[in-house]
Amino acid sequence: MKRFRILMALFVILLISGLVFAVSEKGNEALQKLMDGNKRFVDGTFAQKDLGKAKREELAKGQTPFAIVLTCSDSRVPPELLFDQGLGDVFVVRVAGNVVDPIALGSIEYGAEHLGSPLLVILGHSKCGAVKATLEAKGKPEGNIGAIIKKIMPAADVAKKKGGTQDEILETAIKQNVKNVYADIMKNSKIVSHLVGEGKLTIATAEYDITTGKVEMIEMPKAAPAKAKH
Ligand SMILES: [Zn+2]
């Protein structure tokens, strides 16, 4: 009887780990789909897209985007094009410097919880004007731009401390900003951190090179994300 119970417990553990595997697998599959699309974009071998009336009518009934992309408003960084995806595929949140405030977080939460996207990509990009402006900021910026600069400033400080040429400092700041945004999301969105903890949402951090067209992953520290400090 005791052996039976141990076997049952083992079975349950295997079942649970199997389920968790299956769930996080969805996020990995979604990421692969985006990276395959980016390869097509770089190679100039775009997939055939259904942009017709029937597709629009089908999507009018509801959307199930397989990924959420948070990226910069920069006109050279359109996620649907650089990942070569079609209508209804990607739920996009765009703001200069790809930073988050409660409204951007709410949009991400909507995509993850209500639409059930298994993947969130935080995508910074080379030569980002918002990051560059933050590095060069002096005094109080005009209008509402200051709110964006304030968000990027901690990354700019890290990059300046690390030093290097102007281009190197900008590149460090761009990558650091993506890492900071990741920590910001995990800290300030209980919904997102909960979904990540449950294995229902995968978060990937990446940088898009506006010259080569390539998206490259940004390495993240292995520490527990919810407690990550920057
Ligand atoms: Zn930018």
Side-chain angles (χ1 to χ4, degrees):
M1 197 60 194
K2 199 179 167 193
R3 187 176 287 175
F4 175 73
R5 261 189 235 146
I6 292 169
L7 277 174
M8 274 309 285
L10 258 177
F11 175 72
V12 169
I13 289 167
L14 279 174
L15 189 71
I16 291 170
S17 55
L19 280 174
V20 169
F21 179 74
V23 167
S24 58
E25 192 65 12
K26 265 174 101 180
N28 291 341
E29 274 170 24
L31 184 59
Q32 191 58 51
K33 223 166 146 180
L34 288 184
M35 294 313 278
D36 288 347
N38 180 243
K39 192 177 181 309
R40 292 195 299 274
F41 174 73
V42 172
D43 295 345
T45 53
F46 298 96
Q48 194 81 33
K49 281 174 207 69
D50 186 355
L51 304 173
K53 187 169 174 270
K55 178 74 176 175
R56 287 198 302 274
E57 281 172 356
E58 180 205 317
L59 283 169
K61 292 176 201 150
Q63 56 169 330
T64 49
F66 71 84
I68 305 161
V69 178
L70 166 67
T71 194
C72 186
S73 303
D74 194 304
S75 62
R76 300 163 293 182
V77 192
E80 291 89 344
L81 293 179
L82 64 94
F83 286 123
D84 190 32
Q85 299 300 322
L87 279 177
D89 287 336
V90 192
F91 191 82
V92 179
V93 182
R94 288 180 79 173
V95 60
N98 38 269
V99 288
V100 287
D101 65 354
I103 291 171
L105 279 179
S107 305
I108 293 169
E109 288 170 0
Y110 182 78
E113 194 175 55
H114 290 266
L115 303 177
S117 288
L119 173 71
L120 163 64
V121 180
I122 306 167
L123 186 69
H125 69 96
S126 64
K127 302 188 193 299
C128 182
V131 177
K132 196 163 180 280
T134 306
L135 284 165
E136 291 163 1
K138 282 184 190 85
K140 203 172 179 290
E142 270 184 10
N144 291 294
I145 293 174
I148 299 169
I149 289 183
K150 200 176 159 196
K151 284 271 180 188
I152 304 173
M153 197 54 90
D157 290 342
V158 168
K160 277 181 186 167
K161 216 178 225 178
K162 202 176 167 198
T165 64
Q166 264 189 345
D167 285 350
E168 283 165 351
I169 291 172
L170 176 60
E171 197 44 50
T172 306
I174 288 163
K175 286 193 170 66
Q176 186 61 44
N177 183 49
V178 169
K179 291 176 187 177
N180 290 0
V181 170
Y182 171 81
D184 197 351
I185 293 171
M186 291 301 279
K187 189 175 164 228
N188 293 308
S189 171
K190 278 194 180 131
I191 290 175
V192 168
S193 57
H194 187 74
L195 287 170
V196 170
E198 279 190 321
K200 288 182 181 163
L201 179 70
T202 300
I203 303 184
T205 46
E207 184 182 351
Y208 172 66
D209 186 317
I210 62 165
T211 312
T212 66
K214 265 189 197 162
V215 171
E216 306 252 13
M217 291 298 132
I218 295 175
E219 282 289 319
M220 292 295 290
K222 291 272 181 261
K227 289 170 194 157
K229 284 204 175 136
H230 47 270

